[in-house]
Amino acid sequence: MKKEFYDALIQLTEEKNVLTDEPLKNHVTFRVGGAADYFVSPESAEEVQKIILLCKEAGMPYYILGNGSNLLVADDGMDGIVLQIYKNYSGIEVRGNELIVKAGTLLSSTSRAALNEELTGFEFAGGIPGTFGGAVVMNAGAYGGEMVQVLKEVTVLTKEGEIKILKAEELELGYRTSNVLKNEYVVLEGVIALKKGNKEEIKAKTPTIETVSY
């Protein structure tokens, strides 16, 4: 079964993106935790969609992981697949005053992109460790700002396997919460709407991970 499932996975993404019995301590910031049966790092929304469909067809449990910040994993590890939406699935596109951000993109990278484009409104996220997708799930915030203030729309994979675009107001964003987990969505990318600003003022208001203590 394990060999058959592995062979099926490498038909959906490159073989280098599929690891077996992978220690999760290598992928979380606390550097502790046992192994995952499979550790997969897809490179596109279509790969995410196909891999999750394969898991459902095979009855294989799966878990979504970003960059593993502040996450504790048990020493006996995790059964099934850990699907990492991070470096392999990251990137930012600029569209006027909007940034289209893939779910695996770090918030710090997104904040720097906004700064480079002289766009204000995302300064609060510069010091938050984590990915854009994770920030959507928990409506991340700091320094008086939070995702709900800038998020315009999100592309998700539904539990039925459909890729769908939702307006921010459809996510029921509240204090460190949303309906993403309840509805079993997987965040693929999102659009944040910002405003033109002064680069030096934006820089002065942007904390960095190095200057924030947790």
Side-chain angles (χ1 to χ4, degrees):
M1 170 63 181
K2 196 163 186 177
K3 175 69 163 58
E4 291 174 2
F5 192 78
Y6 176 84
D7 289 344
L9 282 172
I10 63 174
Q11 296 301 311
L12 302 179
T13 186
E14 291 191 37
E15 189 169 1
K16 66 182 176 65
N17 297 335
V18 181
L19 305 175
T20 58
D21 299 318
E22 174 65 10
L24 292 172
K25 66 181 181 180
N26 297 337
H27 304 281
V28 297
T29 55
F30 287 132
R31 300 301 179 207
V32 295
D37 293 336
Y38 304 92
F39 189 90
V40 186
S41 303
E43 298 183 8
S44 69
E46 291 72 23
E47 287 186 6
V48 175
Q49 183 184 37
K50 289 176 181 178
I51 290 166
I52 289 180
L53 179 60
L54 173 66
C55 289
K56 290 185 174 182
E57 289 175 344
M60 181 73 67
Y62 64 90
Y63 309 89
I64 305 300
L65 177 70
N67 73 328
S69 59
N70 300 331
L71 179 67
L72 281 172
V73 178
D75 289 339
D76 55 359
M78 298 175 71
D79 296 330
I81 284 187
V82 171
L83 196 64
Q84 188 186 50
I85 298 180
Y86 183 30
K87 292 179 181 178
N88 278 4
Y89 188 58
S90 63
I92 301 168
E93 179 185 341
V94 181
R95 184 175 64 194
N97 288 357
E98 297 178 347
L99 298 182
I100 305 166
V101 188
K102 289 186 177 179
T105 309
L106 288 173
L107 291 176
S108 56
S109 300
T110 309
S111 179
R112 282 196 297 272
L115 171 65
N116 291 339
E117 296 296 323
E118 298 185 8
L119 295 174
T120 184
F122 205 68
E123 292 90 334
F124 72 89
I128 301 176
T131 60
F132 187 87
V136 171
V137 172
M138 65 174 292
N139 185 29
Y143 299 99
E146 53 186 359
M147 293 296 292
V148 68
Q149 296 171 356
V150 296
L151 192 64
K152 180 180 179 181
E153 62 185 36
V154 178
T155 302
V156 301
L157 178 67
T158 70
K159 64 181 178 181
E160 293 79 23
E162 177 186 5
I163 293 177
K164 189 174 182 180
I165 297 176
L166 301 174
K167 297 298 182 185
E169 51 266 29
E170 296 179 79
L171 298 178
E172 300 174 10
L173 296 164
Y175 181 74
R176 305 299 172 263
T177 186
S178 71
N179 65 16
V180 172
L181 294 180
K182 179 182 74 175
N183 292 333
E184 299 180 37
Y185 295 146
V186 177
V187 176
L188 298 174
E189 71 175 31
V191 179
I192 53 175
L194 307 174
K195 297 177 181 178
K196 275 295 181 183
N198 176 276
K199 192 168 187 176
E200 291 306 312
E201 291 178 0
I202 295 169
K203 187 175 182 180
K205 290 191 294 182
T206 303
T208 63
I209 290 175
E210 289 74 19
T211 62
V212 177
S213 60
Y214 288 87

